Amino acid sequence: MSSLRNHRIIIASLFLPTTAVIGESNPPTPDAYTRDVGAATAQDSGGRPPAFRHATSRSIGSTPAPLKSIVDDLKSRAITPITTPPSETANPFSKFASLAVTPAGNGTTSPSAHHSLTNSLIDMSLGVSLKVQTTRPDPHAVRIQRKESRSSSRPRYPAITRSHSYSNGNIEPYYFAPNSHCNGGLKNAVDSVKDRLTSKLWVGTLGNSTDDCSPELRANIDRRMWDMHSSRPVWIPDAEFESCYDEFCHQVLWPCLHYAVPDAPKTKLFFESASFKQYVAVNKRFAEAIENVWTEGDVVWINDYHLMLLPLLLRQSTRIPALARAPIGFFMHVAFPSSEIFRCISVREDLLRGVLGADLVGFQTASYARHFRQTVSRILAVEALPKGIQVEYGITGGSREGRGWFVDVGVFPMGIDVSALRERRREPDVSYWVQLLRQRYAGMKIVVGRDKLDEVQGVRHKLEAFEQFLKKYPEYQGKVILLQVALQTTESNELAAGGVSDVVARINSAFSTLTYQPIIFLHTQEVTFSQYLALLTVADAFLVTSLREGMALRTHEFVECQEGRHRPLILSEFTGSYSYSGFRSCIAVNPYDTRGTAKAIYQALTMSDEEATSRWEDLHNHVVTQTAQTFVTSFLTRCLRANIEHTTQTDLNAVPALSTNLLLPRYKHSPRRLLLLDFEGTLWRPDMSRAGLLAPFTPPEGAVELLKKFTANKRNEVWLLSGLPVKSLEQVAARAPGVGMVAENGCFVRLPSRGTGNTGGAWITMVANLNLTWKPLCVEILNYFTERTPGSFVQEREASVVWRFWTGPTDDCSDRQWARRQAAEAQNHIFDSLGERYGLRIIPGANSFLVLPNNISRSTAVGAILHPGGPAHSPRSSIPDLDVPVNGSVGRETGFVFAVGGDEKLLRRLNELDNAETVSTSGKGTDAKWKLDAGDVGEVMWTFANCP
């Protein structure tokens, strides 16, 4: 973390943590339940998120009218059957909110308050509101509806109050308030390390309508946001933002990322979304904003699916070319689906290429990271490794044009700020509400839930499971309640949630009595954070039935609040939290299995204290280990390290061409020389036509003569690095026996032979301890795709397999496009079925791909050759005293290591040797010290060979 003190962190998120609200600042409400921040939003006096109001009649939302529960309605009709039922308050806590004066020391109330409390608690049994209807739009409201951020979580734990209004007479008055739309989990995490993250800058939108803001007002807000909140607003036209956020993000990306692909015929927007143009425009505005504030040394942290194009846009910057080498990290806060789902998006390649502009791509779980690697490999046909993605294509524009690079892919589970939560739990308000809730529900079991009303949150599945529980275990009717807190959402989302209000009404009408209502349904604006913590404290079980979700941080809060009670957690196996071993001690449920979930509720309510405590300890160990602080520090540190590793690669234009005038004197005067030469593509240009590839191998005359010339000099140790099988290289060895060889890209090593009449040295296998039973299975898969890809064929070797899926012209014709799609499918199928089980890697090429074991490469083979005791130090070697350890330097100053080829990993590794001269023939960006055109290799190599 100390290294981060030297960097400013630019945090790009769609919504800023703080927003500006037009109008005079309202004084803070003294009531306890409005003083704190709600469960997901900071509310104004009207009970809605703060809006950018330009007139009193214009706001983003409107106040919903409270609905009475069925019991309320029946009670009212029984008393006054002709008149309209009187309006009841929606919040059950408000029945005794007037008594919630901040208690002294021990949290007691006066006798008169206790008398009123008793009456209020009796009224509450009949006065709980069923509020699940969405807000009806205000006819005077603006069209844009900037809904809550999908990945948002709870705001920071300390209470937040509004600032005073600002106005200089020339602009409208405004004040700053917490942004109800911001990603609360991210803000919590960043705030948790504010003492160590000394410099940061937030970049995002205000989350309000901004079209009517004058340039003077925008400039004033920009200045004050910069000075007071370390934020830089991004100003986006309302129509552009609405199309990007409400259409593309929420109707295209969000369903796809959560496995909710719409069914035909309602898929036109999903597959042919014109709103993608606005998505691109919004990302470009973010790129411009970052360009305006970025300075050398800044780290750019891009968050979530709203900004998937931003990493590449920053790399392509022509205004600030240095951004091409800046540390850029991208973190996906939500789930990432399998390639079968993501490939349905028409703009899939643009989104993936955009994300791959980052140095580091982070996900919540290992499965999401694996899905991303497989999707990129399948759709973009690039090499996916366990650590990340090897991108071979270059970025158009910017200093990375024409270059490839490596993108790290990592797993960084998000957590909560445990210390801040403990501090809030110790506040008198929380203890006060805990006491009242225990008095109110004495003798009853409480099951608590907190979810958005989106379909993927599984609220309907939860309610139906609770209904099944009451039916299957009738002895619990009247003794168990489900208290469900619903986060703000939109009418379309609630409709998509499957008629939650209808399910609640059906259950309550079936099981309610005059003194009992089984489901209490609340919106977050009706519950303060102190009250929510009290609910988590008194809960007998916490129920999460998400159909798909990232890290469910509310479960972390429940576990921490259960310190001292240790009640169980019921968790959907489709959440990201469940993938971690610590959370395997929960009661796992399949939300689609209603009976199974009902049984899990019964198990939780009847679990013994000993078992519950044992389960809670495992859960708590994860919560206190994977904290918000760990998340931030591990992600940013890894991003910096990845950038340092990636930026060592030099632009090809900056690499000098090989100078024989400079190297020949060193070569000539060195008593010992080690030469590492690539065969294919360097010393030999093979015929890549179908006929040439299928023809029997014949050693190229020019390359063989060059090798013989090199080995004729006793000061030279020559190694030929190749991907050809052993039997092909044996023909080369027969004519140049003094050459050491590496076959099948590092699977086999042949020692150089010395002595008259010796036709070949011994071959050493590098895969002796590896399981090669995957080969027949791999060949079977490739034969299946060969039958469906004209002109393709399989080359099976001793320890690797090559599939040549295209051998025709190199132009991008329809047949080649089909072959590339088939190759991507084949790679994905091999990786899914064999890759992890047998430890395989797939190296894609322009017209073929190679399958071989992990940790086998030309680089590892050369490392074994150079290692003390390796082939270069064996008695068979002509230079047994050459000291060239793999991670050190050449021991003797007269040593000379000369490597020529296109394997960047090998060249980068050899650069660690003090006396190594590396030459790249790949024509791409390289870490090599020199570059050489492949067509000039023969002439240059003969110059060295002819040198004594």
Side-chain angles (χ1 to χ4, degrees):
M1 191 66 188
S2 59
S3 63
L4 296 177
R5 299 181 186 274
N6 302 323
H7 300 269
R8 182 179 65 169
I9 312 301
I10 298 178
I11 308 168
S13 184
L14 188 64
F15 296 108
L16 293 172
T18 304
T19 188
V21 184
I22 294 296
E24 296 290 342
S25 175
N26 297 325
T29 305
D31 292 344
Y33 72 99
T34 54
R35 176 177 59 82
D36 289 333
V37 180
T41 59
Q43 304 298 329
D44 63 12
S45 59
R48 52 181 174 264
F52 221 152
R53 300 195 183 110
H54 305 289
T56 56
S57 61
R58 296 179 61 193
S59 64
I60 291 180
S62 59
T63 306
L67 297 177
K68 291 180 291 300
S69 66
I70 295 175
V71 177
D72 292 333
D73 188 59
L74 290 175
K75 178 184 176 184
S76 300
R77 289 178 183 275
I79 299 174
T80 55
I82 299 177
T83 60
T84 302
S87 176
E88 297 285 347
T89 181
N91 186 358
F93 287 99
S94 64
K95 283 292 185 178
F96 43 80
S98 60
L99 306 176
V101 182
T102 302
N106 56 4
T108 58
T109 56
S110 65
S112 60
H114 273 299
H115 177 74
S116 301
L117 173 62
T118 303
N119 295 332
S120 297
L121 294 176
I122 295 174
D123 293 340
M124 278 187 63
S125 64
L126 299 176
V128 177
S129 167
L130 171 62
K131 183 177 179 182
V132 293
Q133 181 171 325
T134 56
T135 302
R136 297 191 179 277
D138 185 343
H140 301 289
V142 294
R143 290 180 57 85
I144 182 172
Q145 298 181 12
R146 301 194 176 187
K147 298 183 278 290
E148 182 182 4
S149 176
R150 296 285 192 155
S151 61
S152 68
S153 180
R154 182 174 311 284
R156 65 190 301 262
Y157 297 119
I160 303 173
T161 57
R162 297 187 184 90
S163 62
H164 64 277
S165 300
Y166 300 98
S167 177
N168 60 9
N170 298 325
I171 60 174
E172 298 178 76
Y174 67 91
Y175 62 92
F176 294 129
N179 195 336
S180 62
H181 308 293
C182 80
N183 187 329
L186 175 63
K187 183 180 185 300
N188 291 342
V190 173
D191 288 345
S192 69
V193 294
K194 60 183 178 182
D195 56 332
R196 290 175 288 174
L197 206 63
T198 55
S199 180
K200 63 179 181 293
L201 176 66
W202 290 85
V203 176
T205 67
L206 296 174
N208 301 316
S209 176
T210 58
D211 279 358
D212 294 338
C213 294
S214 64
E216 294 79 10
L217 177 61
R218 296 188 181 192
N220 191 277
I221 292 175
D222 282 345
R223 185 176 66 256
R224 293 188 181 275
M225 288 286 284
W226 180 280
D227 295 337
M228 300 175 60
H229 299 284
S230 299
S231 300
R232 172 53 58 94
V234 180
W235 302 93
I236 301 175
D238 290 349
E240 182 179 294
F241 184 93
E242 181 179 12
S243 180
C244 163
Y245 184 64
D246 297 342
E247 293 181 16
F248 188 79
C249 289
H250 283 177
Q251 298 183 46
V252 178
L253 281 182
W254 173 263
C256 172
L257 295 173
H258 291 82
Y259 288 78
V261 179
D263 295 328
K266 301 177 182 180
T267 56
K268 183 174 182 180
L269 180 64
F270 189 86
F271 294 105
E272 301 176 4
S273 176
S275 59
F276 181 68
K277 295 180 180 179
Q278 279 67 44
Y279 183 83
V280 175
V282 168
N283 277 257
K284 286 183 177 180
R285 291 183 186 274
F286 268 81
E288 293 173 0
I290 293 175
E291 288 175 348
N292 292 333
V293 299
W294 185 86
T295 58
E296 192 71 36
D298 288 351
V299 179
V300 183
W301 183 3
I302 301 168
N303 291 274
D304 232 355
Y305 62 99
H306 314 99
L307 304 173
M308 293 181 72
L309 303 179
L310 184 54
L312 182 60
L313 291 174
L314 294 176
R315 295 296 188 204
Q316 292 176 328
S317 173
T318 54
R319 264 184 65 194
I320 314 292
L323 274 168
R325 307 182 72 83
I328 298 178
F330 177 89
F331 188 80
M332 180 70 79
H333 289 263
V334 298
F336 196 91
S338 69
S339 58
E340 284 294 332
I341 301 295
F342 196 86
R343 67 195 292 245
C344 297
I345 301 181
S346 60
V347 292
R348 59 194 184 183
E349 292 192 17
D350 300 279
L351 296 174
L352 293 177
R353 292 179 190 273
V355 172
L356 291 179
D359 292 298
L360 171 65
V361 181
F363 294 91
Q364 299 273 18
T365 70
S367 60
Y368 300 155
R370 184 179 69 253
H371 290 164
F372 176 76
R373 292 195 304 266
Q374 293 175 351
T375 301
V376 170
S377 175
R378 183 178 189 181
I379 295 176
L380 300 182
V382 296
E383 182 181 4
L385 302 173
K387 185 182 177 183
I389 307 295
Q390 181 62 52
V391 183
E392 296 298 339
Y393 59 83
I395 296 178
T396 304
S399 63
R400 282 197 179 185
E401 186 166 3
R403 295 176 51 194
W405 69 99
F406 189 84
V407 180
D408 280 27
V409 178
V411 179
F412 307 91
M414 208 169 190
I416 62 173
D417 187 352
V418 177
S419 59
L421 183 59
R422 287 175 178 172
E423 182 179 349
R424 284 302 301 267
R425 287 183 59 221
R426 289 193 292 265
E427 291 185 357
D429 280 351
V430 178
S431 301
Y432 181 65
W433 291 114
V434 167
Q435 178 186 1
L436 293 181
L437 286 169
R438 286 174 175 167
Q439 293 178 9
R440 163 64 184 91
Y441 298 110
M444 299 186 69
K445 300 288 187 180
I446 305 176
V447 180
V448 177
R450 172 181 170 268
D451 308 272
K452 296 188 181 81
L453 286 183
D454 296 316
E455 183 178 5
V456 297
Q457 294 294 318
V459 178
R460 181 187 179 93
H461 299 73
K462 178 188 299 186
L463 298 174
E464 291 175 344
F466 187 71
E467 179 184 26
Q468 181 68 25
F469 165 77
L470 294 176
K471 290 180 179 178
K472 186 175 181 180
Y473 306 98
E475 66 272 19
Y476 282 94
Q477 295 179 16
K479 299 179 181 179
V480 179
I481 64 168
L482 171 62
L483 207 158
Q484 176 66 41
V485 180
L487 273 70
Q488 280 189 340
T489 184
T490 63
E491 186 171 0
S492 61
N493 292 333
E494 291 191 7
L495 292 174
V500 169
S501 58
D502 296 336
V503 179
V504 175
R506 183 183 74 236
I507 297 174
N508 281 343
S509 63
F511 298 100
S512 292
T513 66
L514 290 178
T515 58
Y516 170 70
Q517 180 170 297
I519 299 179
I520 300 175
F521 211 99
L522 303 173
H523 282 250
T524 53
Q525 60 263 36
E526 303 171 304
V527 182
T528 70
F529 190 52
S530 295
Q531 293 168 347
Y532 176 68
L533 293 181
L535 284 176
L536 296 183
T537 303
V538 303
D540 294 285
F542 192 83
L543 181 57
V544 177
T545 55
S546 302
L547 308 183
R548 192 70 59 175
E549 188 177 2
M551 295 298 290
L553 296 185
R554 58 192 182 279
T555 62
H556 297 226
E557 294 166 342
F558 168 74
V559 171
E560 181 59 31
C561 287
Q562 282 294 310
E563 187 173 12
R565 295 196 70 234
H566 309 155
R567 300 318 302 165
L569 168 67
I570 307 171
L571 182 63
S572 167
E573 62 189 42
F574 298 112
T575 61
S577 299
Y578 180 70
S579 65
Y580 289 93
S581 58
F583 269 79
R584 295 299 173 91
S585 294
C586 67
I587 302 176
V589 296
N590 177 357
Y592 298 98
D593 181 6
T594 302
R595 294 182 179 178
T597 306
K599 183 178 179 180
I601 297 174
Y602 177 80
Q603 178 185 353
L605 297 180
T606 58
M607 183 177 294
S608 66
D609 291 342
E610 293 78 9
E611 180 182 355
T613 300
S614 176
R615 289 173 177 263
W616 178 86
E617 289 175 350
D618 292 339
L619 297 170
H620 191 251
N621 287 337
H622 176 90
V623 171
V624 299
T625 303
Q626 299 294 340
T627 62
Q629 293 89 338
T630 303
F631 163 71
V632 174
T633 55
S634 60
F635 181 85
L636 293 177
T637 303
R638 174 81 176 271
C639 181
L640 278 172
R641 186 172 69 248
N643 177 260
I644 292 173
E645 294 174 355
H646 303 164
T647 53
T648 56
Q649 190 179 63
T650 309
D651 187 3
L652 184 63
N653 294 329
V655 178
L658 178 63
S659 173
T660 56
N661 294 332
L662 291 177
L663 290 188
L664 273 177
R666 287 190 56 203
Y667 176 86
K668 182 177 180 179
H669 294 95
S670 176
R672 297 174 180 83
R673 302 183 289 234
L674 177 65
L675 280 67
L676 302 168
L677 308 176
D678 269 3
F679 193 29
E680 304 97 311
T682 300
L683 299 184
W684 171 49
R685 309 286 289 182
D687 182 4
M688 301 304 295
S689 67
R690 179 180 176 83
L693 292 171
L694 292 176
F697 173 75
T698 302
E701 194 66 29
V704 171
E705 292 300 323
L706 177 63
L707 293 173
K708 292 170 64 177
K709 183 66 174 179
F710 271 124
T711 56
N713 191 322
K714 296 184 181 300
R715 290 190 291 166
N716 291 339
E717 176 82 4
V718 184
W719 287 83
L720 186 66
L721 313 180
S722 174
L724 294 177
V726 170
K727 61 181 181 180
S728 297
L729 291 183
E730 280 285 7
Q731 300 181 49
V732 179
R735 299 183 56 185
V739 178
M741 296 183 181
V742 174
E744 292 195 33
N745 294 288
C747 294
F748 302 94
V749 174
R750 177 191 178 275
L751 303 179
S753 300
R754 292 294 182 183
T756 306
N758 193 336
T759 58
W763 284 93
I764 301 174
T765 176
M766 308 294 288
V767 294
N769 298 323
L770 300 181
N771 183 1
L772 299 180
T773 57
W774 59 269
K775 284 180 50 190
L777 302 174
C778 180
V779 172
E780 182 179 355
I781 294 173
L782 292 177
N783 285 337
Y784 170 85
F785 284 95
T786 299
E787 295 174 358
R788 289 154 180 78
T789 309
S792 64
F793 61 94
V794 181
Q795 291 180 321
E796 183 179 0
R797 297 170 180 174
E798 291 187 49
S800 59
V801 178
V802 179
W803 190 43
R804 306 283 182 180
F805 57 83
W806 180 253
T807 56
T810 56
D811 58 323
D812 197 22
C813 59
S814 59
D815 288 343
R816 190 185 184 194
Q817 292 177 1
W818 166 256
R820 289 182 64 83
R821 286 195 295 269
Q822 290 296 95
E825 293 284 347
Q827 292 178 50
N828 190 70
H829 193 68
I830 293 171
F831 191 88
D832 287 346
S833 58
L834 304 176
E836 293 188 0
R837 185 171 20 148
Y838 292 98
L840 305 179
R841 59 183 296 218
I842 301 175
I843 305 177
N847 299 311
S848 63
F849 66 80
L850 170 68
V851 185
L852 75 166
N854 269 332
N855 302 319
I856 296 296
S857 66
R858 301 185 187 190
S859 178
T860 58
V862 171
I865 294 170
L866 299 182
H867 195 277
H873 298 267
S874 69
R876 296 173 179 267
S877 173
S878 63
I879 47 173
D881 55 346
L882 180 62
D883 182 16
V884 282
V886 66
N887 58 353
S889 62
V890 177
R892 302 177 182 234
E893 296 181 358
T894 55
F896 185 81
V897 180
F898 191 38
V900 183
D903 191 323
E904 289 300 323
K905 293 181 181 178
L906 173 61
L907 298 178
R908 187 181 306 117
R909 190 175 190 183
L910 290 173
N911 280 337
E912 298 175 6
L913 302 177
D914 293 340
N915 290 352
E917 296 294 340
T918 53
V919 184
S920 173
T921 60
S922 64
K924 304 175 182 178
T926 180
D927 291 325
K929 299 178 180 179
W930 308 93
K931 66 181 177 182
L932 180 63
D933 187 86
D936 299 331
V937 171
E939 180 181 353
V940 173
M941 288 297 100
W942 273 108
T943 302
F944 281 91
N946 290 325
C947 183

